[in-house]
Amino acid sequence: MLKDLDITPEDPAELRAVNRLLADEVKALSLKVEQLQHQLHGANRHRFGSKSEGLDQLNLDLLEDAEIVEAAEDQAKQPAPSQEGVDPKPKRKHSRKPLPDHLDREDEELSPGDECGRCGGNLRTLGEDVTEELEYVPGRFKVKRIIRPRKACSWCEAIVQAPLPSRPIERGRPGPGLLAHVLVSKYADHLPLYRLSQIFAREGVDLDRSTMADWVGRSTALLEPLADAIGRMVRQGPALFADDTPIKMLAPGNKKTKTARVWTYVRDERAWSGQSPPCAWYQFTVDRKGEHPVAHLSGYKGWVHADGYSGFNGVFGDDKADEMACMAHVRRKFVDVFSSQGSAIAEEVIRRIAELYAIEKEIRGMPPEDRATIRQARAKPIFDALEEWLQTQLPKISGKSPLAQAIRYALGRMPKARPYLELGHLELDNNTAERAVKPVAIGRKNWMFSGSQGGGKAMAIAYTKRQMK
């Protein structure tokens, strides 16, 4: 087209044609510049806003995750411990270092009593077995000594001894407090196990990374019933928040990674003074197919706050869940346009959405009926006016511009966000789920999955504990 402009016609008709070509060219170039500016702004934000680790750094934990899976499978296959004083299972052989002498010792004596249960005679002490269990309290280690005297009857010579109490890992050294600390440190505080090993070494306790990997794997098998119970609790609420985030997963055989997903489902009723405690349920899948959220929420008929990802479409419908769209996603589209182009239309949309959020701030914590009443009186006129105003602005701008794309997205999502105006137990956005996903997004720089569900069990417990604080 530019070659057609290299002419200087004298005929007025030809000159008007050239002017039209020139105007079309300027319009096309302006639109292209606008699109490139928008893309450059997004690229700079992603480039300088966060940095990803390379595969060499991620490979530090590949062996760790494989060991966790192996330990979890081993723990799940173990039979229940014997209730008798003598355990018939063969002992696991370990070459352990003795626990440091400088650690405080706390003795707990389990005695069978002073009288023989068989004949009633007096028991005399023959010796004792001492089982040392490494325990952890915040800020310091301690050794819990479980002392079990062996006693013999002075009349019938029967030998008796109290059985060991139930322990998280049979014949293992870690106590429940130490296991909880390792799990929370790994999945909630984002500490790889090799760093945790270095931290413990400063306390004079030598715990190898592979040892703790075995503990984590066995703990995930123990936590599975609790994680399942959290999932049932989440799906019993009238509304939940759903989101997903990518995570690296080890691809067996080729020493590479593939992109898997962690799905998050949250029940949080604090905004409308609900009685249920907040809880988050995490599920791991190897891909992002829509069949996964459909399976996770099978049978659920409440409201689901979600973004516009098409994979959630199978969750909604007749005799299924109802959809509540996220206005935060709508707002972000206009924030991107305003920050890259300074659009006055985008600025006005942001201002009007801010008015909706100001109302939400005022009514937080009120009962659902009061929230719905205030929304109908104050938020509904703002919501209706915004939707009508966007419809009038769309024909006035180029249909291919980023601003037009943001407006079309908003007009497509706002009808699905309208139910919050009538139902006080719904929220204006899906930020609750995104806050629950954030720890996963931070932690994925320090660990990856190896194709099992084990890590999700521990994350469900560790993150739910954080949500409840």
Side-chain angles (χ1 to χ4, degrees):
M1 184 181 296
L2 291 176
K3 292 182 179 180
D4 297 335
L5 300 178
D6 293 336
I7 56 176
T8 55
E10 296 181 357
D11 183 73
E14 293 180 0
L15 185 57
R16 285 193 295 270
V18 171
N19 287 339
R20 283 194 297 269
L21 289 174
L22 181 59
D24 292 341
E25 183 70 14
V26 170
K27 183 178 179 180
L29 291 176
S30 297
L31 179 60
K32 189 65 176 179
V33 169
E34 183 179 344
Q35 293 174 338
L36 292 176
Q37 286 177 337
H38 187 74
Q39 294 175 5
L40 178 61
H41 172 77
N44 286 338
R45 183 184 58 190
H46 290 294
R47 172 65 180 86
F48 298 107
S50 62
K51 295 180 175 62
S52 60
E53 293 183 333
L55 183 60
D56 291 341
Q57 293 169 292
L58 293 174
N59 280 337
L60 291 172
D61 289 326
L62 299 187
L63 180 61
E64 170 182 307
D65 289 288
E67 292 170 344
I68 290 175
V69 174
E70 182 180 355
E73 294 173 349
D74 187 23
Q75 178 74 11
K77 294 178 183 177
Q78 287 188 1
S82 173
Q83 299 299 322
E84 303 296 330
V86 179
D87 198 327
K89 295 183 295 184
K91 293 185 177 181
R92 297 167 59 196
K93 295 182 179 180
H94 297 279
S95 56
R96 294 169 171 165
K97 298 179 181 179
L99 296 175
D101 293 334
H102 71 274
L103 298 178
D104 294 337
R105 257 64 177 180
E106 176 183 320
D107 293 348
E108 177 184 359
E109 182 172 337
L110 303 178
S111 175
D114 296 323
E115 296 181 357
C116 178
R118 181 183 302 175
C119 66
N122 295 328
L123 298 176
R124 68 179 187 275
T125 301
L126 300 178
E128 62 184 20
D129 290 338
V130 178
T131 302
E132 291 194 335
E133 180 182 85
L134 184 62
E135 182 57 287
Y136 180 82
V137 294
R140 66 183 179 90
F141 284 95
K142 69 176 183 180
V143 177
K144 180 180 178 181
R145 302 175 73 231
I146 302 175
I147 302 172
R148 298 183 297 142
R150 296 191 305 277
K151 296 188 176 183
C153 178
S154 58
W155 290 0
C156 66
E157 300 298 327
I159 299 175
V160 293
Q161 185 181 42
L164 273 172
S166 176
R167 305 168 70 198
I169 299 178
E170 293 298 319
R171 300 185 180 88
R173 275 187 169 173
L178 178 58
L179 290 176
H181 177 69
V182 171
L183 291 174
V184 172
S185 296
K186 177 177 175 63
Y187 291 109
D189 297 334
H190 326 299
L191 280 175
L193 293 183
Y194 79 91
R195 293 186 192 169
L196 199 57
S197 178
Q198 295 170 353
I199 293 172
F200 291 161
R202 293 199 295 267
E203 299 293 327
V205 179
D206 185 10
L207 289 177
D208 191 75
R209 178 201 54 78
S210 60
T211 299
M212 288 188 286
D214 180 83
W215 294 354
V216 172
R218 295 179 183 277
S219 298
T220 58
L222 296 173
L223 291 173
E224 185 169 359
L226 183 54
D228 293 340
I230 291 175
R232 291 192 296 270
M233 182 181 294
V234 168
R235 288 171 289 179
Q236 288 172 357
L240 60 82
F241 304 84
D243 201 2
D244 70 291
T245 189
I247 192 170
K248 294 294 183 181
M249 183 189 75
L250 176 64
N254 55 13
K255 296 183 179 180
K256 295 182 179 180
T257 62
K258 62 182 297 185
T259 301
R261 290 279 162 174
V262 170
W263 304 82
T264 307
Y265 305 96
V266 184
R267 179 181 179 182
D268 191 346
E269 301 177 356
R270 289 174 292 183
W272 48 276
S273 300
Q275 299 301 312
S276 173
C279 49
W281 183 45
Y282 297 85
Q283 291 292 290
F284 171 81
T285 62
V286 298
D287 53 46
R288 203 192 184 196
K289 294 180 179 179
E291 63 191 44
H292 301 306
V294 172
H296 298 158
L297 300 178
S298 176
Y300 182 72
K301 298 180 181 179
W303 289 87
V304 176
H305 298 73
D307 56 25
Y309 172 51
S310 60
F312 285 111
N313 291 344
V315 175
F316 311 119
D318 295 336
D319 204 30
K320 295 183 180 180
D322 295 309
E323 181 179 7
M324 173 61 202
C326 175
M327 284 298 291
H329 281 77
V330 172
R331 180 183 179 276
R332 287 171 197 160
K333 300 286 185 181
F334 293 98
V335 170
D336 290 341
V337 173
F338 177 73
S339 58
S340 63
Q341 302 174 14
S343 169
I345 295 178
E347 183 180 16
E348 177 64 15
V349 175
I350 296 171
R351 185 191 64 80
R352 296 193 184 198
I353 294 179
E355 293 178 358
L356 296 175
Y357 275 98
I359 298 173
E360 292 303 299
K361 185 177 181 179
E362 293 179 19
I363 65 176
R364 185 165 300 277
M366 292 184 180
E369 298 78 10
D370 296 342
R371 285 159 58 92
T373 301
I374 296 175
R375 284 171 175 172
Q376 285 290 310
R378 298 173 53 190
K380 188 176 184 300
I382 300 174
F383 194 96
D384 294 341
L386 173 60
E387 188 173 20
E388 182 180 353
W389 184 76
L390 287 174
Q391 291 173 348
T392 61
Q393 297 301 314
L394 185 59
K396 301 177 182 180
I397 60 178
S398 173
K400 297 182 179 180
S401 66
L403 178 59
Q405 295 174 5
I407 294 177
R408 284 194 294 268
Y409 178 83
L411 293 176
R413 299 300 293 166
M414 289 184 70
K416 297 179 180 179
R418 186 173 289 276
Y420 99 100
L421 296 170
E422 300 178 357
L423 302 175
H425 64 276
L426 299 182
E427 290 294 303
L428 183 58
D429 55 42
N430 194 35
N431 287 347
T432 301
E434 295 190 1
R435 286 192 293 269
V437 165
K438 188 176 181 180
V440 183
I442 297 174
R444 64 188 171 201
K445 296 183 179 180
N446 297 325
W447 39 258
M448 68 173 64
F449 284 90
S450 51
S452 77
Q453 301 282 353
K457 308 278 191 291
M459 284 198 307
I461 310 304
Y463 294 160
T464 296
K465 182 178 179 182
R466 169 177 288 188
Q467 285 288 110
M468 293 181 68
K469 292 183 177 179

